[in-house]
Amino acid sequence: LFTPYEAPSKDSLLEKIKSELLDIQQKILKNDKTYSLFVTGHSLGGAQATLAGVILAIDEDIRRAFTAGDPSGEGPVTVVSFASPRVGNHPFRRLHQTLEENNHLRHLRIMNRDDVVPFLPWYSARFRISGQYTHTGLRWITGKDVDEGLLADISYPDIEEEQQPIVYWHPSKPG
């Protein structure tokens, strides 16, 4: 998309994606403000969806184009990622959380507890890479328990269990 050392140019893939989204909203949707913007992906695509969702949620023009009828005139970008590895560092997580708190971004991260990809990159004392990467968004872990059957755990990362919110997540309603 672009490197962290330079601002995106008009020719960058990121700027082309933003331009295409705004063209779709104007030409095909005819400026109908009842649509939402969803970004989704699986595995590496889930990591890319997480990054793209944050970049798009920062963009005021994108939020105003896809409001889903939100009375504020700005709609959140919704990311649904499946089996995504960790992608951002701790400042990225803080940015992500700020965007969520301001209703600019929603992120549902779905993973199977027996899948190794969501736990990548692994911690390596030799390379010390794992501590640099962190998950973001609302985590939905699924799996099977021998005695219990199908399990589902819905939580935010790094929040103590007693502080976890009771979550009712619906993709077409804010909050």
Side-chain angles (χ1 to χ4, degrees), residues 9-166:
S9 71
K10 289 183 178 180
D11 297 329
S12 74
L13 179 58
L14 174 63
E15 290 305 313
K16 289 177 183 174
I17 290 170
K18 287 181 185 180
S19 176
E20 285 295 317
L21 285 170
L22 293 172
D23 281 351
I24 288 169
Q25 203 281 335
Q26 291 170 354
K27 294 175 182 170
I28 298 173
L29 304 179
K30 310 245 188 268
N31 286 319
D32 183 346
K33 302 285 186 175
T34 61
Y35 288 88
S36 298
L37 179 59
F38 282 75
V39 184
T40 187
H42 173 262
S43 197
L44 180 57
Q48 292 171 326
T50 301
L51 295 171
V54 167
I55 291 167
L56 294 170
I58 290 170
D59 192 294
E60 209 170 289
D61 292 334
I62 294 291
R63 290 195 320 268
R64 287 186 180 153
F66 297 92
T67 65
D70 190 296
S72 73
E74 290 188 0
V77 173
T78 302
V79 175
V80 181
S81 59
F82 299 88
S84 170
R86 298 179 200 133
V87 293
N89 58 13
H90 292 284
F92 176 82
R93 176 190 269 177
R94 283 192 296 276
L95 171 63
H96 189 286
Q97 289 170 336
T98 300
L99 290 167
E100 285 182 313
E101 289 165 3
N102 292 324
N103 199 35
H104 297 325
L105 177 67
R106 291 183 294 184
H107 182 184
L108 176 62
R109 185 171 49 85
I110 301 170
M111 60 183 276
N112 184 303
R113 72 175 186 176
D114 298 324
D115 187 356
V116 298
V117 172
F119 299 100
L120 295 174
W122 285 310
Y123 176 73
S124 168
R126 182 175 178 193
F127 298 110
R128 297 186 182 146
I129 58 171
S130 181
Q132 297 174 15
Y133 295 93
T134 181
H135 276 302
T136 56
L138 179 62
R139 177 183 63 193
W140 183 345
I141 301 176
T142 64
K144 284 200 166 198
D145 184 274
V146 176
D147 298 323
E148 304 282 331
L150 188 64
L151 299 175
D153 172 27
I154 301 174
S155 59
Y156 280 97
D158 293 340
I159 298 178
E160 298 297 323
E161 187 172 332
E162 62 272 1
Q163 296 176 333
Q164 286 289 343
I166 297 172

